[in-house]
């Protein structure tokens, strides 16, 4: 079994994530290929797609949201993701148990004694009038039936777990500030979510294995679970194992992959790329060492925006007053600083709709 070193895994991940070379593909196809983009911060997916697609126009993503081809919804890891409508409808039932379990993990004491079936029915009855609601509004509407739990616990269970919901535009549109207004996915999309698979079968799990490897592979089963948060995936992996090839990493872990997926030469140059907060190129693995050093791993979960330098996290970035400021995490070579500055100027131009291209690269840490 071939061993893939860290640089080989890095270049494979960048290629799958469309970060080794910007892709020429429709925005909806990119969202589907990536298995969605983490999107609790509404504007961040625009940067994620700008870094991955050639000539990305932010209005194209806004149009997909208003056109109901892409939605914002709680899905993988109970986190808000931007996914295609088709994927949301196909995948949601497979995520139901995980979503309920994660909400209960936070609010088990508050929700003790609450019949979740009755709570779901009450929520659906409130939403039957077709009016979108904030989580707080929905929680207050059912709180008379369950006066003991905090409204937050009732609202999160309804919105994030019991009823397949989407966050409606203008939330998530380019350069738009808007609160969260939720509506049942079936009402917004005109289609019910796919029903659960018959017992003993897991076609969605098998599809998720293939889709994950296409966007993140080669990867271990632990990486797959870290991305989606689902249990029961070993059976899905076993079901498709005959379609896959195997490798080992330098720690001896088995890595699975699609046979024809790109695995570039480890010497392939990797251009500087600016990642948004919570980008799945970093968060989509249990072992994030292929992209970020252990010393900086905490940055990936605090909302820091990261810069890939030679394929690895080498800096953070922020924007204020039209200027993109890059803060290196290590000493950059003169060529790396120039490349980061050039890409940062392009990002500043994108974020300002072409009105400016100011970038500042701070001094490296001593």
């Amino acid at each position: 079994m071939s061993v893939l070193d860290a640089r080989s895994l890095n270049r494979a991940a960048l290629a799958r994530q469309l970060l080794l070379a910007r892709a020429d593909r429709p925005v909806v196809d990119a969202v589907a290929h990536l298995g969605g983009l983490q999107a609790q911060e509404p504007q961040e997916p625009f940067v994620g797609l700008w870094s991955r697609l050639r000539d990305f126009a932010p209005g194209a993503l806004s149009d997909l949201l208003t056109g109901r081809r892409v939605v914002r919804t709680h899905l993988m890891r109970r986190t808000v993701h931007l996914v295609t409508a088709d994927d949301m409808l196909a995948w949601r039932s497979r995520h139901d148990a995980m979503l309920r379990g994660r909400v209960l993990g936070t609010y088990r004491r508050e929700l003790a004694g609450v019949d979740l079936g009755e709570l779901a029915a009450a929520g659906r009855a409130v939403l039957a009038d077709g009016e979108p609601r904030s989580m707080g509004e929905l929680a207050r509407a059912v709180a008379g039936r369950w006066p003991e739990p905090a409204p937050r616990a009732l609202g999160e269970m309804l919105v994030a777990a019991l009823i397949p919901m989407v966050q409606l535009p203008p939330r998530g549109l380019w350069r738009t500030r808007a609160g969260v207004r939720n509506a049942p996915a079936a009402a917004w999309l005109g289609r019910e979510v796919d029903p659960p698979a018959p017992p003993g079968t897991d076609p969605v799990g098998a599809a998720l294995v293939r889709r994950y490897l296409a966007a993140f592979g080669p990867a271990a089963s632990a990486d797959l679970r870290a991305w989606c948060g689902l249990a029961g995936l070993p059976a899905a992996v076993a079901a498709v194992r005959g379609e896959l090839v195997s490798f080992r990493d330098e720690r001896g872990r088995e890595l699975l992959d699609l046979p024809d997926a790109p695995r570039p030469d480890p010497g392939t140059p990797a251009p500087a790329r600016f990642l948004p907060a919570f980008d799945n190129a970093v968060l989509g693995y249990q072992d994030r060492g292929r992209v970020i050093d252990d010393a900086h791993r905490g940055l990936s979960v605090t909302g820091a925006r990261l810069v890939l330098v030679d394929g690895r996290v080498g800096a953070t970035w922020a924007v204020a007053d039209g200027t993109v400021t890059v803060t290196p995490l290590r000493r950059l070579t003169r060529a790396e600083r120039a490349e980061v500055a050039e890409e940062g100027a392009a990002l500043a131009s994108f974020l300002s709709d072409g009105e400016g291209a100011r970038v500042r690269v701070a001094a490296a840490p001593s």
Side-chain angles (χ1 to χ4, degrees), residues 74 110 194 307 317-318 333 345 357:
H74 289 87
E110 292 92 327
D194 292 353
V307 185
W317 68 276
T333 68

Side-chain angles (χ1 to χ4, degrees), residues 96-108:
D96 281 353
M98 179 272 292
L99 294 170
R100 288 195 300 272
R102 293 209 172 194
V103 177
L104 285 174
T106 303
Y107 299 108
R108 189 174 302 277

Side-chain angles (χ1 to χ4, degrees), residues 304-350:
R305 293 157 159 176
L306 307 174
V307 185
L308 300 181
V309 184
D310 190 26
R312 299 184 60 79
V313 173
T316 62
W317 68 276
V319 60
D321 300 323
T323 299
V324 169
T325 298
V326 178
T327 303
L329 297 171
R330 62 168 176 82
R331 186 172 299 278
L332 305 180
T333 68
R334 180 176 298 180
E336 288 172 339
R337 287 181 67 88
E339 184 182 24
V340 167
E342 181 179 5
E343 185 75 356
L347 175 61
S349 178
F350 169 74

Side-chain angles (χ1 to χ4, degrees), residues 236-276:
V237 171
V240 301
R241 181 175 283 274
E243 307 172 17
L244 308 177
V245 293
S246 298
F247 302 93
R248 295 278 181 192
D249 65 12
E250 292 175 307
R251 294 164 46 197
R253 297 193 313 163
E254 183 186 34
L255 307 177
L256 300 173
D257 204 6
L258 304 173
D260 298 326
R263 289 179 289 273
D265 185 285
T268 303
R273 290 287 185 260
F274 283 66
L275 300 182

Side-chain angles (χ1 to χ4, degrees), residues 9-350:
L9 293 175
N10 173 266
R11 292 312 194 252
L14 297 180
R16 312 294 174 88
Q17 284 289 304
L18 312 182
L19 292 167
L20 203 55
R22 282 185 167 92
D24 288 308
R25 62 170 71 193
V27 174
V28 68
D29 290 354
V31 174
H33 167 76
L34 296 167
L37 293 92
Q38 197 155 322
Q40 64 264 49
E41 298 294 337
Q43 296 296 299
E44 299 301 298
F46 290 94
V47 175
L49 290 169
W50 174 82
S51 287
R52 289 171 164 93
L53 299 179
R54 187 171 290 112
D55 301 323
F56 169 67
L61 179 55
S62 292
D63 288 347
L64 290 171
L65 283 160
T66 57
R68 312 188 188 200
R69 297 184 64 197
V70 162
V71 296
R72 295 170 48 83
T73 187
H74 289 87
L75 204 60
M76 285 76 78
R77 308 186 302 277
R78 192 169 71 91
T79 304
V80 176
H81 273 70
L82 184 81
V83 296
T84 68
D86 288 342
D87 282 345
M88 188 273 178
L89 294 171
W91 296 352
R92 181 52 167 79
S93 292
R94 182 62 175 83
H95 286 72
D96 281 353
M98 179 272 292
L99 294 170
R100 288 195 300 272
R102 293 209 172 194
V103 177
L104 285 174
T106 303
Y107 299 108
R108 189 174 302 277
R109 182 177 300 176
E110 292 92 327
L111 294 172
V114 175
D115 185 296
L116 297 185
E118 292 181 9
L119 178 59
R124 290 184 185 278
V126 172
L127 294 164
D129 62 6
E131 291 296 318
R133 286 173 170 81
S134 69
M135 184 168 64
E137 290 169 342
L138 183 57
R140 288 190 292 272
V142 302
R145 170 69 178 79
W146 294 278
E148 294 300 320
R152 177 84 184 186
L154 295 172
E156 285 210 26
M157 180 56 80
L158 283 168
V159 169
L162 294 183
I163 304 174
M165 303 276 257
V166 297
Q167 297 183 356
L168 301 191
R171 181 77 168 178
L173 301 184
W174 177 239
R175 294 194 170 285
T176 300
R177 286 182 172 271
V180 177
R181 307 289 287 176
N182 303 285
W188 178 247
L189 299 175
R191 292 178 285 164
E192 295 288 342
V193 300
D194 292 353
T201 69
D202 190 8
V204 174
L208 287 170
V209 173
R210 299 184 189 98
R211 294 284 295 276
Y212 176 76
L213 294 176
F216 294 89
S221 295
D223 296 316
L224 168 64
R225 180 164 183 172
W227 169 68
C228 64
L230 295 177
L233 287 173
V237 171
V240 301
R241 181 175 283 274
E243 307 172 17
L244 308 177
V245 293
S246 298
F247 302 93
R248 295 278 181 192
D249 65 12
E250 292 175 307
R251 294 164 46 197
R253 297 193 313 163
E254 183 186 34
L255 307 177
L256 300 173
D257 204 6
L258 304 173
D260 298 326
R263 289 179 289 273
D265 185 285
T268 303
R273 290 287 185 260
F274 283 66
L275 300 182
F278 307 113
D279 195 279
N280 276 339
V282 180
L283 293 185
Y285 298 96
Q286 185 273 331
D287 180 5
R288 299 173 187 166
R290 71 179 67 191
V291 177
I292 188 169
D293 294 342
D294 285 345
H296 306 308
R297 181 182 172 115
L299 293 171
S300 63
V301 296
T302 60
R305 293 157 159 176
L306 307 174
V307 185
L308 300 181
V309 184
D310 190 26
R312 299 184 60 79
V313 173
T316 62
W317 68 276
V319 60
D321 300 323
T323 299
V324 169
T325 298
V326 178
T327 303
L329 297 171
R330 62 168 176 82
R331 186 172 299 278
L332 305 180
T333 68
R334 180 176 298 180
E336 288 172 339
R337 287 181 67 88
E339 184 182 24
V340 167
E342 181 179 5
E343 185 75 356
L347 175 61
S349 178
F350 169 74

